[in-house]
Structure formats: C-alpha cells, structure tokens
Amino acid sequence: MPSAPRMPSLLERLPSGSRIAVIRLRSLGDCVLTTPALALLKAHRPDLQLAVVVECRFRAVFEDNPDVAEILRPTTSAIAAWKPRLVLNLHGGTRSMALTIGSRARFRAGFAHHRYSFIYSRRIPRAQEVLGEERPVHTAEHVASAMFWLGVPRQEIPRAKLVADPAIEVPSNPYAVLHPFASQQAKTWPADRFVAVAHHLKNRCALEPIFLAGPTDDADPFAGFRVYRNAPLKEVKTLVSRSQLFIGNDSGPAHVAASFGIPEVVLFGPSDPVTWAPWRTEARVLTCAENISALQPAEVITAIESLQVCA
C-alpha cells in the first residue's frame, strides 16, 4: 500500500516575505536563548520578516540583530498593525495569550503544554517529541524544537546571538565581569566569597574585577571594586562582550556572556544546570542543589585556573 503523502509544514505554507511575530515578553536568560532559534528560522527562510514582541527593558537583547526586522511593543495594536501571518508564542503566560488572540494572525502557534493552548491553530508538541529523545533538554533546545516542528530541518543549534555596540566605551585594561546576584536567595552565592574571588583575579590573574548590580541589589560588599549599577542592557552587553572572564550565579548575565563566547564559571544552587548551563561557550559549572553556600572560593579559583585566563 502506498504511503500517505506528506503534509506540508507550516513554514512551507507561508508565502515568500511573510511576517512572523515571535512573543517572548521578558526574562533576560529566556530572551537570550530565543536568539539561536531565530537564527535557525532566518537561515532556513531568509525571505521571512521576523519581529520580536518584548517588554522595553529587554529589547536591547534583540537590538541590531540581523535576524530581527522589528522589535514590537507588547500591545495588541502594535502586533496587529504589523500584520503578521503567523504569531509564535514562546512565552505562554496569560498576557501573551491575549496578545496572540489580538494579533489577527492567520496562524497562531505555541507549545501544547501552555495554559489556554486551545487558542492556537497549531499546537507544538513537547521538545522531547520533536527531537525524538526522551531526556532533559536545555532551554536553547526547547525553543529551537519549535522551529524544527515548524519546518526548519534538524541541525546543530547555534550559540545565542547578541550584538555589542562598538561606540560604547569600556575599560581598556583586561577585566573580568562578576555578577553576584540572582532572582532567589537560594541561587545566590555569599557576597564575601565573591570578594575573595575578586581579590584572586586582581592579585593573581592581573584582571580587574568589575561587578554588575541591579537597582535594588546591595552592592555595598563590593565597594572596593568598580561596580556597574543599573547600567542599561546595551551597555552591559558591550561590557561583557569585551571581558576576559565571567563569574556569576545562575542568572541572565551568564547567558549574555555565553552569547559572546566568554569563558565562564557559573554557580548553581537549586536550578538545573542541564536546562540553564551556559550554551556553547567554554564554561565550568559548579553546583550544590542543597546549599549553594557549601561551594568554597577554592573551588571557584580552581575552575578559573582550568580556563587558563590568568596572565
């Protein structure tokens, strides 16, 4: 009996020049790890016009990215005015569902496990089903699996793609960037241990330690070092891109560093490094799920030395 004819993929059904709006509202790490999927989609169909729907504070992740034609405000009017043929919801929250419905797009796609996924005209299976491998997947793989399901041929998933601004001035001396903060206390290595590592970088590695801090972070323990407090994301991208080393907790800046191929030492508490480890850069991941404070400065220093970044 002859086999049934293959159904065309969704991408095959999109005319040349079609517009796709990709919804990824927030979270620095998630935004960064969306860019490999965008690169895969654009490489397969260069004719497509891709827009990213994202909150203003994270738009710098996608600025100057050649794969992105537009960065849209997260409003139904902005998306509908752009007239996408396909809306791809990679966020999955209630607000993103409202934006998906309000887009007026002919095709609405998103993962089937999203709450209210009944609003999608195309529901994407679990990443494991798309990849044909029943194992924990990295976030970059999870997002890229949506592109494979849409019709991009299976292939190696590239590094994240961020673009630094060469006009932004950064220190001219060799330096390392340290990010000693995280979204949860359980994911935050003690400040005094970051200080100990910073002294090692300065005294043994001839690298100036530069700390990143947000507007509500307590940077007082790092007062003896240069601190970039609440710097614009565009400036953070450029600062990190020209560093020799990144050291930090499991948080968004670690993924920014990985996008530029910066060697890293990243400290994990309860979160899963299989899902959130730096993607496609040389990295040392140290983890203690029970208590991140159990990790000692000597372990981090050994990891730094193994990266061979010290002078």
Side-chain angles (χ1 to χ4, degrees):
M1 179 180 297
S3 59
R6 184 184 70 85
M7 293 292 290
S9 70
L10 184 51
L11 288 182
E12 289 173 323
R13 299 182 62 184
L14 295 182
S16 180
S18 292
R19 293 182 170 189
I20 299 177
V22 178
I23 300 176
R24 176 65 262 176
L25 296 180
R26 69 181 77 90
S27 299
L28 181 55
D30 285 303
C31 287
V32 172
L33 291 172
T34 297
T35 62
L38 298 178
L40 288 170
L41 179 55
K42 189 67 175 177
H44 178 60
R45 285 285 305 271
D47 60 289
L48 297 175
Q49 298 296 303
L50 308 184
V52 176
V53 181
V54 66
E55 293 177 355
C56 181
R57 58 187 170 141
F58 297 111
R59 66 177 286 125
V61 170
F62 305 101
E63 286 177 347
D64 303 316
N65 187 325
D67 301 322
V68 178
E70 293 286 344
I71 302 175
L72 302 177
R73 292 178 295 107
T75 65
T76 54
S77 59
I79 302 171
W82 201 66
K83 299 181 179 179
R85 182 171 286 262
L86 164 65
V87 163
L88 177 60
N89 186 359
L90 296 177
H91 190 84
T94 304
R95 184 183 178 196
S96 69
M97 292 297 184
L99 294 172
T100 300
I101 285 288
S103 68
R104 304 177 190 172
R106 177 179 178 181
F107 299 110
R108 302 181 304 276
F111 284 102
H113 67 263
H114 287 166
R115 191 178 182 186
Y116 308 119
S117 65
F118 62 83
I119 73 166
Y120 299 143
S121 62
R122 301 291 187 277
R123 290 191 285 182
I124 303 170
R126 295 166 57 244
Q128 287 83 352
E129 294 178 50
V130 176
L131 299 174
E133 300 179 52
E134 198 58 39
R135 59 173 176 81
V137 300
H138 193 278
T139 301
E141 295 177 292
H142 170 72
V143 182
S145 74
M147 306 305 162
F148 299 147
W149 186 86
L150 289 173
V152 174
R154 281 284 303 275
Q155 60 195 278
E156 183 175 277
I157 301 164
R159 178 184 290 162
K161 184 188 294 185
L162 272 65
V163 180
D165 186 345
I168 293 177
E169 293 187 5
V170 300
S172 58
N173 54 299
Y175 61 88
V177 173
L178 295 87
H179 184 245
F181 306 102
S183 59
Q184 305 169 28
Q185 187 59 40
K187 297 170 64 176
T188 307
W189 202 44
D192 63 320
R193 300 187 184 179
F194 273 103
V195 170
V197 170
H199 283 298
H200 176 84
L201 293 172
K202 183 176 181 179
N203 299 328
R204 300 287 186 176
C205 297
L207 294 175
E208 180 189 359
I210 297 179
F211 285 86
L212 297 178
T216 61
D217 293 329
D218 179 14
D220 287 348
F222 317 110
F225 304 95
R226 193 185 320 219
V227 177
Y228 278 63
R229 175 182 285 279
N230 199 29
L233 184 51
K234 181 185 280 286
E235 186 175 350
V236 170
K237 286 195 306 181
T238 303
L239 177 73
V240 171
S241 74
R242 300 182 198 170
S243 65
Q244 278 65 51
L245 174 69
F246 177 92
I247 303 171
N249 300 310
D250 166 36
S251 59
H255 298 293
V256 173
S259 75
F260 293 108
I262 304 302
E264 299 191 53
V265 178
V266 184
L267 312 173
F268 277 77
S271 50
D272 186 358
V274 173
T275 303
W276 291 108
W279 181 250
R280 300 211 181 282
T281 194
E282 188 175 12
R284 302 292 181 265
V285 173
L286 305 179
T287 182
C288 186
E290 296 78 18
N291 182 4
I292 195 172
S293 298
L295 295 171
Q296 299 299 314
E299 297 176 76
V300 176
I301 290 170
T302 297
I304 293 170
E305 291 174 348
S306 73
L307 291 170
Q308 298 182 337
V309 295
C310 294

